[in-house]
Amino acid sequence: MAAPRTTATRTFLGRLSLPERNYVADALRTETVGGVLLLLAATAALIWANVPALHDSYESVAHHHIGPEALGLNLSVAHWAADGLLAIFFFVAGIELKRELVAGDLRDPRAAVLPVVAALCGMAVPALVYVLTNTVGGGSLDGWAVPTATDIAFALAVLAVIGTSLPSALRAFLLTLAVVDDLFAILIIAVFFTEQIDFLALGGAFVGLAVFWLLLRAGVHGWYVYVPLALVIWGLMYNSGVHATIAGVAMGLMLRCSTREGEEHSPGERIEHLVRPLSAGLAVPMFALFSAGVPVSAEALADVFTTPEPLGVVLGLVVGKTLGIFGGTWLTARFTRATLSEELQWADVFAVASLAGIGFTVSLLIGELAFEEDPALMSEIKAAVLLGSLIAATLATILLKIRNTKYRRLWEAEERDEDQDGIPDIYEQDEPDYHLRMAEIHERKAAEHRRLAEEKAAARLAEVAGGAGEENPRPA
């Protein structure tokens, strides 16, 4: 008689492997610093654009044109920030995606199903919310993609500001969501926001990408080879009519992100480590500086809630993102028999889903592309992105603060390193050497306590002996 079939269950949001934990910690550390710079840049943009004495200078700088006209690159400063500097951001996104596919959580199809479905639902539901809002309100459907993106840097900056010790598994889940989110945002930009194509320039860009790939395969080294080639590819991609940031993600995907014998880190990881600070510390904040400068007034804020297009963006970010990610995660876990980690609750997943409603960088970029022909509506859409992200951040802060005591205990357990070997103790519980080291540490502490106890006892005896020989003046 055949044995009954059993379906294995997997743990969702369980402890990360040590290499994955170290990678996530390093990546999120840089993104957190970049996120704080992003917040400062957005605040500076709002002040610069809304103080009457400074407004004209903001517009003058943002629309000042520089670059070679002969190459079709005489662009405004704001345009350079959106198409040029953001290519660096998407280059890093391409490397992150490649690494996730070959060495990270997306490598295993069974493990990848849950974050991928969650990310897709977290894009589809906000788009649906936007479409429904504008269908009922008679607005334009052109901005359906605006509320679909998550800004990982902004989200991490919020975590840094509110001081939440979010466990590494939840942070990794948020990072994976953002990586998948970025991939589909790139596809949306490439497919839906390309109107006219110059096939000659596009062909030149593909030739450049082929040369880039061949040089990588041949093992050619040197930034002086790749940086000029990358600039040529970017320029050709821009002139082709396809959004120039696509060149960045294409080159990022070409880098090798798997290690070979004798390598501690892959070329992709090394380059990402070098370029990520440039992306998080310069490219994204500069884009925010020249994109977030929108009029802020009581009338402008009222328009956000009375005009269907910006209202759809706010509802998409706050309601659509949260319900989409949480619902997609719960349904996928339900049908794949994945069990949530015993240390966490579904309320934690809901809080992270609400945090993913912070859509800043890519949402602003898509808003500019969607309403390029209507500057007034574009400003309202940008205001909606800022307001929706602020509401999502506030909601997430409240939800995360409720559970912060639990998070802090989990975080402290993850970080505890009593044997001081640089590896958290939680990863060494099954190693005999760890317990031997801890035994030596406790033996040294016990010996020290015995020595102190003997000294204290001897001192007390000396006091008693000394007091016995003294004359007591008091009557018996």
Side-chain angles (χ1 to χ4, degrees), residues 467-476:
E470 293 179 0
E471 208 177 299
N472 191 345
R474 289 180 298 175

Side-chain angles (χ1 to χ4, degrees), residues 163-189:
T164 299
S165 303
L166 204 64
S168 58
L170 286 173
R171 290 177 182 262
F173 180 59
L174 183 61
L175 179 61
T176 305
L177 282 175
V179 170
V180 178
D181 201 301
D182 287 342
L183 167 65
F184 287 101
I186 291 162
L187 293 176
I188 287 172
I189 292 170

Side-chain angles (χ1 to χ4, degrees), residues 30-52:
T30 305
E31 291 288 359
T32 301
V33 174
V36 173
L37 294 176
L38 177 64
L39 288 175
L40 293 175
T43 303
L46 290 170
I47 295 172
W48 194 1
N50 285 278
V51 173

